[in-house]
Amino acid sequence: QVQLVESGGGSVQAGGSLRLSCAASSSLYNRRCMAWFRQVPGKEREGVAAIYTGGGNTYYADSVEGRFTISQDNTKSTVYLLIYNLEPEDTAMYYCAADDGGSWYCPVISDDYNYWGQGTQVTVSI
């Protein structure tokens, strides 16, 4: 069964940090692009970071580079998103996604990803 399960969201104060996790079924993890997106109600989904699980290549949206770090643990088929110095503007539902594989280049564009998790909510307060 193809599955992506996010966890780690919550309510934090501005300036804090969170680590989001995305556990993937093994068939969905190997040699693929996996990415994190976020969405606020009424706005378009925004890509924030991606990683190629076959080699660890990472990609970031310009708007978040420097505060977001994407990483992987191959032993757990899990991808992480560490968010530093959280801002109220980071409040959103965060989704994990995977593509069909075949390329090490991982654009942070939602149309390129066919598998999605249910999301984990991040709420940042002042």
Side-chain angles (χ1 to χ4, degrees):
Q1 182 179 359
V2 172
Q3 193 172 24
L4 297 171
V5 180
E6 302 98 329
S7 61
S11 297
V12 296
Q13 287 191 324
S17 60
L18 275 177
R19 189 180 76 164
L20 308 182
S21 300
C22 173
S25 53
S26 59
S27 63
L28 195 57
Y29 181 83
N30 294 325
R31 297 181 181 179
R32 292 179 187 266
C33 291
M34 294 187 66
W36 286 95
F37 293 81
R38 64 184 180 183
Q39 189 169 26
V40 175
K43 294 189 177 181
E44 289 189 1
R45 189 170 292 179
E46 176 191 18
V48 295
I51 190 166
Y52 176 61
T53 61
N57 314 55
T58 58
Y59 306 83
Y60 295 94
D62 291 342
S63 60
V64 303
E65 193 157 8
R67 292 194 302 117
F68 288 49
T69 299
I70 190 169
S71 61
Q72 63 184 114
D73 184 338
N74 292 341
T75 66
K76 298 180 180 179
S77 297
T78 298
V79 170
Y80 303 99
L81 183 70
L82 182 58
I83 313 173
Y84 303 91
N85 194 22
L86 280 154
E87 303 171 351
E89 292 73 23
D90 295 320
T91 295
M93 184 71 80
Y94 284 71
Y95 297 92
C96 176
D99 73 356
D100 286 325
S103 173
W104 55 265
Y105 178 63
C106 305
V108 195
I109 302 172
S110 60
D111 289 348
D112 287 352
Y113 295 84
N114 294 321
Y115 306 96
W116 294 84
Q118 294 300 307
T120 185
Q121 177 68 37
V122 172
T123 302
V124 184
S125 59
I126 297 174

